[in-house]
Amino acid sequence: MREGRVRYGYFDDETREYVITRPDTPLPWINYLGCEDFFGLISNTGGGYCFYRDARLRRLTRYRYNTTPAEAGGRHLYLRDRDTGQVWAPTWQPTRSNLDQYTCRHGLGYTVVRSEYLGIRANVRYFVPLGATLEIWQLTLTNLSSGVERHLALFSAVEFCLWDAWDDATNLQRNLSIGEVEVVDNVIYHKTEYRERRNHLAYFACSEPLVGFDTQREAFLGPYHGWHEPETVQRGQSRNSMVHGWAPVGSHHIQLDLAPGASRQITFLLGYHENPPADKFDPPGSQTINKRSVQPLIAHYLRSENADAAFLELRAHWDRLLGNCQVSTPDVHTDRMVNIWNAYQCMVTFNLSRSASFFETGVGRGMGFRDSNQDLLGFVHMVPARARARILDLAATQLPDGGAYHQYQPLTKRGNDAVGGGFNDDPQWLILAVAAYLKETGDATILDEPVSYNNLPGSETPLREHLERALRYTLERLGPHGLPLIGHADWNDCLNLNTFSTTPGESFQTTVSRDGRTAESVVIAALFVWAAREMAAIACWQGHHKQAQAYQDQAARMAAAVTAHAWDGAWWMRAYDHFGSKVGSHECEEGRIYIEPQGLCTLAGIGVDDESGRAEQALASARQHLGTPHGLVLQQPAYSRYYLHLGEISSYPPGYKENAGVFCHSNPWMMIAAALLGHGDVAHEDYLRINPSAREEISDVHRCEPYVYAQMIAGRDAPTHGEAKNSWLTGAAAWNYVAITQWILGVRPTFEGLQIAPVIPESWAGFSARRVFRGVTYSIAVERVGKGNACRLWVDGKRVQGTIIPLPPAGETAVEVSVKLGEPQG
Ligand code: BGC
Ligand code: NOJ
C-alpha cells in the first residue's frame, strides 16, 4: 500500500462544507452549481464552465480539457494594484500568485473562495439561484491595511463557447467567423448564431459602472499571451474591443478605491436567456437582441439583497432535501457521507448522469439507461416526483421488443442512435428502479401511466407492460446454458464477448462481429432473478397472486440455470464466452474470479436460503481473492495482455478500470451481500475502505476529492494502487448510499412500510436516524442489547411483530420507533 499522509483541507460538518486550505490540490477538486436547468462545474480555483440543461448543446463558456496547467479555463478574476502595477488572481488561477491566505469552501450548490494578498481580502461566492438560469458571483473586497487607501482595478473574464461544445472545439473553419456580441452599459451579451436559428443568448453582467470592457480574446490577452498574463490587466487598461468572429470573451474593467478597513461588494451574473422566436429582435426587423425580458432579471439579481435572499433559499432547499434522511452513528465517516456528501452526490448524478464532470467532457455520452435507473435508487427519497418523471422518460426510450437505447440526450429525451441498444442488462434496471420508486412512495398509479416506445406517438402502453417486456426481452434471448445472452455487454461495459476487435480505435462498445448467440452473462441472469422477484412482489402487493407466482416461477427457473451452470466450486462464474468457454472460473488462466456475480447473485437471493452455503462461500472467496486495503478489485488475476475474445476489459493495463481496478460501484453489492448474510463487521469494514471521507488522510494517494466517490480506485496490480479516478458521476454514489442506509443501518423502504433491520458492527452500541417516508417522519433509536442482528421493534411505545413498521393512520406525521438489536445476554 502506498503511504501518504497529506490533507488538503478538512470537513466542516456544521456548515456542510469541505474546506480546501491550499489551492494546489492533486487534481482540481470540483463542485456543482445548479439544481434544475442551469449547471456549472466549479473547481477550487474558480475554474470550470456552465451550461443550460445539456452540456454539449447549450454550453455557455468554453473549457479546455486535458490541458496544462491543469484546468486553465474558467471564471477569471484579476486584481491590479493601480499604484504598484502588481497583478494577482484572488482565486489563485490563472496567475498562481503566492497568496498569503487561501480557502475554498465547497458547499451544497455553492462555492466560496477566499484569499488574502498584499493586504486585500477577496471573498467570492458562486451559486445558481433556484429557478434561475444564471450563476451569481458575489465578490467582496476588503482593504485589510490600517492607514493606507488602496487603489485597485478589477477585471473579470469568461470565454464564450459557441453553444455546441463539440462543434466549438472542432469546426474552426466556420466558428472563427461567426462570433458576435453586444455591449450595453455593464452587460456583455453573447449572441453568436442568434441571427439565424437560435433564440437564446448568454450574458455576463456586472453591478458596477465599467471603466472599460473587452469582448475579443486576443485584444484582452494580447497576442501569444495566456490567461495567466493578460496584457489588458498588466497595462491596467481595457481596449473596449468588439469581437467579430474569432473568440468572443466577456471582460469587465472596474476601478475601486478602498479606504483602510473598507469593503465593497461587486456582483457578476453569467446567465442564459431565451426570447420568444417571434420577438427576438428589438426593434423588430433589426439584428439587435430584444433585451426587454432579460433586463429586469439582470437588475433583480444584481441587487445584493436579492442575491442574498436567493442564497438563503438555496440553503433551505438543501436542508429540506437532506432532512429526509439523517443519521447519528458512532462513526463520523458514516454520518458525514450519509447526512451530507453521499446524498448530495446522488442528487448531482440525478441531474447529470454521466455527462459533465472533469472526467466526462459533456460532449460525448448522454444519459445512460442503466446508469440513470441505478442513480434513482439514491435520490428517490429526496425528490420522488422527479424520480417519477425520470422513470417515465427512461421508459419512453425503451424499444418495442423490451430492449432499450443505451443512452438518451437530455435535451431531446430521444434515444441516441450512435450507441443504439443491445446492452442486454439495460431493461432489467428499469424494473429495479420502478420497484424502488414504488417502495418509497406507494404510488402504484405509475404502473398505469401510458408510455410510448422509442418515443413514438401512438405506441403507448401502461408502464407495467414495459416492465413485462423487459423481462421478456431477457427470456427471448437465452443461450446454450439457458443463461441470458450478453449482447454488447452487461453491467461491465468492457466485457465485450461478441466484439473481437482488431482495428485500432474501433469502439468496443458498439462493434459487433459475432452473431451473439452463444456468449452468456451470469450478471444478467442474477439481475433477471432479482427483477422477476421484484415483479412478483409488486404483483403480490397489488393482490395479483397468480401473476406473482408466474414471476416467481420465472425467477426460480433462471436461478436453477445459474446454480446448474454458473457455480464454479467456490464462487459464481462470470460468463460463457463466444466459444462456450468459461469466464471467471478457476479453469481460466487470468480473470478467474469476478466481483459482480458474487454480489449480484446474493442480492438476487441465489444460494442464500437453500442450505447450499453458496452465498457465504462466494462472499468469502471474493474477500480472499479480491480484497485489498483500498477495496475489492473487480477481478483477479488481472489480464496481462489483450484477449481478442474478451474485449475492452483486457485493453486496460492491469489494475486500471475494469481490468482489476476497485470499482466503487460494485463494492457496495458485496457490502449488501455481507449485510444480507448477517455480517455487520465485514459490511462496514468494506464500506469504510472506499468511503471518501475515511480516505481523506491519504489524499495524496487517493488524489480525487475526499468528499465524493470516484468510479474507480487503482487496484493492486497498478503501480499507483489506491489512486482514484473519475470522481462525481458514478453509480458508486447511489449504491454506496443504498448499502449504508438500507442494508447496514437497515432503514429500508418496503411495499408495506418502512423496515428497520440493521446489520451494524458488533462494537456499535446503536445509532439513531430520522427518516421521512411517505410523508411521515420516523424518529428511530436503535440500541444494541446483545450480539447478533435479531431485532425487536416498539412503535410509539407499542411492541410490533416483525421488522416492518405498519403505515400509520392518515393524518399522523410523526412516529417514534425504538429498536432493540441483538440477543440479550444471559
Ligand atoms: C469504460 C467504462 C464505461 C464505458 C462507457 C469504457 O471505456 O471503461 O467504464 O462504462 O467506456 O462508454
Ligand atoms: C461506467 C458506466 O457508466 C456504467 O454503466 C458501467 O456499468 C460501468 N462503467 C462498468 O463498466
Side-chain angles (χ1 to χ4, degrees):
M1 176 171 171
R2 295 161 79 223
E3 284 299 322
R5 290 281 174 265
V6 179
R7 291 183 191 215
Y8 294 81
Y10 60 91
F11 287 91
D12 184 341
D13 294 333
E14 282 298 302
T15 59
R16 296 180 166 154
E17 293 168 328
Y18 190 80
V19 189
I20 300 168
T21 48
R22 45 190 277 195
D24 57 339
T25 45
L27 298 165
W29 283 1
I30 75 161
N31 191 16
Y32 286 82
L33 312 175
C35 314
E36 293 147 336
D37 290 330
F38 188 90
F39 298 100
L41 285 73
I42 183 162
S43 75
N44 56 308
T45 59
Y49 60 92
C50 59
F51 57 91
Y52 173 74
R53 284 203 181 157
D54 187 311
R56 170 167 175 181
L57 298 175
R58 288 286 190 284
R59 180 86 61 108
L60 267 75
T61 49
R62 188 171 277 161
Y63 189 77
R64 286 182 183 74
Y65 305 99
N66 208 353
T67 181
T68 54
E71 228 260 288
R75 302 164 178 84
H76 301 304
L77 291 171
Y78 304 89
L79 284 165
R80 179 174 188 277
D81 185 314
R82 301 200 322 266
D83 297 321
T84 64
Q86 281 165 300
V87 166
W88 74 102
T91 60
W92 194 60
Q93 285 274 44
T95 62
R96 294 191 299 284
S97 312
N98 196 11
L99 301 173
D100 298 322
Q101 198 266 348
Y102 160 93
T103 55
C104 165
R105 289 180 169 261
H106 282 320
L108 307 178
Y110 68 91
T111 286
V112 181
V113 182
R114 186 184 176 107
S115 68
E116 288 175 19
Y117 192 59
L118 302 177
I120 298 294
R121 175 185 296 149
N123 191 85
V124 52
R125 180 165 80 182
Y126 308 88
F127 69 101
V128 174
L130 295 172
T133 59
L134 56 100
E135 291 185 7
I136 302 185
W137 313 356
Q138 290 178 298
L139 170 68
T140 306
L141 295 171
T142 306
N143 178 358
L144 297 175
S145 60
S146 49
V148 191
E149 182 171 285
R150 299 294 296 275
H151 308 119
L152 301 176
L154 167 69
F155 294 84
S156 67
V158 297
E159 186 173 357
F160 291 110
C161 182
L162 309 186
W163 303 114
D164 177 341
W166 174 258
D167 194 70
D168 176 71
T170 51
N171 193 9
L172 302 191
Q173 61 79 27
R174 166 179 165 84
N175 292 338
L176 298 180
S177 294
I178 61 176
E180 289 187 302
V181 298
E182 288 177 32
V183 182
V184 178
D185 302 330
N186 39 10
V187 188
I188 296 165
Y189 297 89
H190 175 227
K191 60 182 262 194
T192 303
E193 288 188 344
Y194 191 78
R195 59 170 51 248
E196 26 125 350
R197 293 154 295 173
R198 296 191 185 275
N199 62 328
H200 42 264
L201 52 113
Y203 55 87
F204 189 33
C206 173
S207 58
E208 305 301 301
L210 305 186
V211 179
F213 65 87
D214 275 293
T215 67
Q216 203 209 94
R217 190 178 68 199
E218 199 182 20
F220 177 70
L221 294 179
Y224 293 96
H225 276 235
W227 288 100
H228 62 295
E229 47 170 20
E231 234 177 48
T232 301
V233 180
Q234 288 172 335
R235 284 185 325 151
Q237 212 181 338
S238 295
R239 292 182 191 271
N240 298 345
S241 57
M242 289 301 289
V243 78
H244 303 285
W246 299 110
V249 300
S251 169
H252 307 99
H253 175 189
I254 298 134
Q255 271 184 15
L256 62 168
D257 298 332
L258 286 176
S263 285
R264 268 276 284 289
Q265 195 182 76
I266 299 117
T267 303
F268 296 95
L269 308 179
L270 177 58
Y272 170 91
H273 187 71
E274 279 174 12
N275 273 332
D279 202 14
K280 276 168 57 168
F281 300 111
D282 184 22
S286 76
Q287 290 290 299
T288 311
I289 300 173
N290 171 3
K291 307 179 187 72
R292 273 172 288 133
S293 55
V294 73
Q295 271 163 344
L297 253 170
I298 295 177
H300 176 83
Y301 284 113
L302 282 180
R303 292 173 62 131
S304 58
E305 60 272 32
N306 295 335
D308 289 345
F311 183 73
L312 292 180
E313 274 175 36
L314 181 68
R315 301 274 320 209
H317 167 78
W318 279 106
D319 287 347
R320 255 193 325 273
L321 288 184
L322 299 185
N324 287 335
C325 179
Q326 292 287 299
V327 304
S328 170
T329 76
D331 176 52
V332 63
H333 306 299
T334 301
D335 289 3
R336 180 179 282 158
M337 292 309 291
V338 170
N339 294 341
I340 308 169
W341 293 100
N342 194 179
Y344 179 56
Q345 187 179 2
C346 287
M347 286 304 294
V348 173
T349 59
F350 161 60
N351 285 323
L352 297 164
S353 190
R354 304 298 171 271
S355 67
S357 73
F358 271 28
F359 299 91
E360 305 279 6
T361 58
V363 297
R365 300 164 70 181
M367 314 274 289
F369 190 87
R370 156 204 311 142
D371 294 330
S372 298
N373 277 306
Q374 289 176 79
D375 291 346
L376 188 135
L377 308 178
F379 66 75
V380 57
H381 68 293
M382 289 186 273
V383 284
R386 297 180 80 188
R388 189 181 206 275
R390 174 63 56 82
I391 287 174
L392 298 176
D393 283 351
L394 284 163
T397 66
Q398 207 182 350
L399 298 161
D401 69 0
Y405 272 109
H406 194 48
Q407 296 174 2
Y408 74 96
Q409 288 309 126
L411 201 65
T412 61
K413 299 196 175 165
R414 299 208 147 252
N416 184 340
D417 286 313
V419 184
F423 294 76
N424 284 351
D425 65 315
D426 273 335
Q428 302 313 323
W429 296 110
L430 178 66
I431 298 177
L432 299 173
V434 171
Y437 172 78
L438 293 173
K439 289 178 197 173
E440 181 66 40
T441 61
D443 165 27
T445 65
I446 194 173
L447 294 168
D448 299 318
E449 197 71 46
V451 186
S452 61
Y453 294 86
N454 194 12
N455 280 299
L456 290 173
S459 65
E460 292 79 4
T461 71
L463 178 67
R464 66 172 80 240
E465 170 68 16
H466 283 252
L467 307 184
E468 184 67 45
R469 290 196 198 181
L471 286 184
R472 225 180 299 145
Y473 180 84
T474 299
L475 290 178
E476 286 168 358
R477 286 166 182 76
L478 299 180
H481 300 90
L483 297 169
L485 294 172
I486 195 168
H488 285 317
D490 57 28
W491 173 85
N492 189 330
D493 274 317
C494 299
L495 190 61
N496 314 125
L497 302 180
N498 293 307
T499 301
F500 291 81
S501 177
T502 52
T503 307
E506 184 170 66
S507 162
F508 285 106
Q509 307 285 309
T510 52
T511 305
V512 182
S513 57
R514 299 293 157 124
D515 62 12
R517 265 175 273 163
T518 38
E520 298 167 287
S521 159
V522 178
V523 158
I524 303 178
L527 280 175
F528 177 88
V529 174
W530 184 7
R533 291 191 167 150
E534 290 288 22
M535 289 291 278
I538 296 170
C540 227
W541 174 57
Q542 298 220 291
H544 305 149
H545 295 286
K546 233 175 98 196
Q547 210 182 340
Q549 191 53 50
Y551 292 133
Q552 285 293 8
D553 294 346
Q554 291 175 356
R557 274 196 297 277
M558 185 68 80
V562 171
T563 310
H565 300 293
W567 181 250
D568 193 57
W571 57 78
W572 300 107
M573 271 173 49
R574 179 63 175 81
Y576 285 98
D577 69 17
H578 171 76
F579 306 104
S581 305
K582 295 176 177 176
V583 178
S585 153
H586 70 284
E587 293 171 17
C588 305
E589 215 176 297
E590 300 187 318
R592 268 180 228 130
I593 171 170
Y594 277 68
I595 194 172
E596 305 99 304
Q598 319 317 325
L600 291 175
C601 286
T602 306
L603 267 65
I606 308 174
V608 176
D609 292 323
D610 60 3
E611 311 280 308
S612 68
R614 288 195 175 113
E616 284 285 358
Q617 212 181 340
L619 175 68
S621 298
R623 285 177 56 80
Q624 180 191 343
H625 298 288
L626 306 176
T628 81
H630 297 289
L632 294 129
V633 299
L634 201 138
Q635 103 280 28
Q636 279 292 290
Y639 295 113
S640 59
R641 61 181 180 85
Y642 178 54
Y643 291 89
L644 189 59
H645 66 292
L646 297 179
E648 184 168 0
I649 190 165
S650 60
S651 75
Y652 287 110
Y656 292 104
K657 293 278 285 180
E658 279 84 344
N659 189 10
V662 173
F663 255 71
C664 298
H665 182 151
S666 42
N667 268 253
W669 297 337
M670 296 307 298
M671 300 167 201
I672 298 174
L676 262 162
L677 299 171
H679 308 302
D681 283 322
V682 170
H684 197 260
E685 189 185 311
D686 286 353
Y687 170 74
L688 281 185
R689 291 213 173 155
I690 63 167
N691 176 305
S693 160
R695 298 173 62 78
E696 184 195 17
E697 60 177 41
I698 53 164
S699 281
D700 66 339
V701 173
H702 185 79
R703 301 190 79 232
C704 276
E705 297 91 335
Y707 39 91
V708 289
Y709 286 92
Q711 179 200 45
M712 192 245 351
I713 298 173
R716 67 170 169 229
D717 303 284
T720 58
H721 187 28
E723 178 187 45
K725 266 191 209 129
N726 304 358
S727 55
W728 279 100
L729 303 183
T730 156
W735 276 110
N736 278 281
Y737 191 80
V738 169
I740 186 69
T741 57
Q742 298 191 18
W743 296 95
I744 299 177
L745 300 178
V747 179
R748 191 155 65 232
T750 72
F751 294 104
E752 288 77 32
L754 195 62
Q755 183 173 22
I756 317 288
V759 183
I760 54 177
E762 285 292 344
S763 64
W764 283 17
F767 69 92
S768 61
R770 177 185 182 278
R771 175 68 155 84
V772 179
F773 175 73
R774 302 194 197 175
V776 178
T777 303
Y778 292 84
S779 307
I780 303 153
V782 176
E783 184 199 353
R784 185 180 278 296
V785 294
K787 285 186 178 311
N789 306 308
C791 231
R792 282 168 299 148
L793 260 59
W794 283 260
V795 175
D796 287 330
K798 280 198 224 74
R799 177 88 160 88
V800 300
Q801 291 308 309
T803 53
I804 298 178
I805 309 161
L807 291 169
E812 207 173 310
T813 54
V815 169
E816 300 268 339
V817 188
S818 81
V819 180
K820 299 219 182 296
L821 181 66
E823 299 297 343
Q825 301 308 106

